Amino acid sequence: MIGVIVSLFFISALFFLWQFSRGEQVGKRIGFLINIWGAVIVFYVVMVVFF
């Protein structure tokens, strides 16, 4: 579980760095990041329940 949380924060940091490098306002497309978090959490829950 700790690895999932660490990977989510790592993905978030990469996302914000990518936005910053493109010159966009950081946090502008936060909904996209929330969708990624949701997909990872759902995937993790499915893996725990079925395997």
Side-chain angles (χ1 to χ4, degrees):
M1 184 65 187
I2 300 296
V4 173
I5 295 170
V6 169
S7 65
L8 282 173
F9 282 115
F10 184 69
I11 290 170
S12 301
L14 285 177
F15 178 75
F16 288 131
L17 281 173
W18 174 69
Q19 275 195 324
F20 183 72
S21 70
R22 290 186 55 199
E24 294 182 13
Q25 182 182 357
V26 175
K28 185 176 180 184
R29 288 190 286 176
I30 200 75
F32 183 68
L33 187 63
I34 292 171
N35 287 339
I36 293 173
W37 275 60
V40 170
I41 291 170
V42 167
F43 178 74
Y44 180 76
V45 168
V46 166
M47 292 295 281
V48 167
V49 169
F50 291 109
F51 300 105

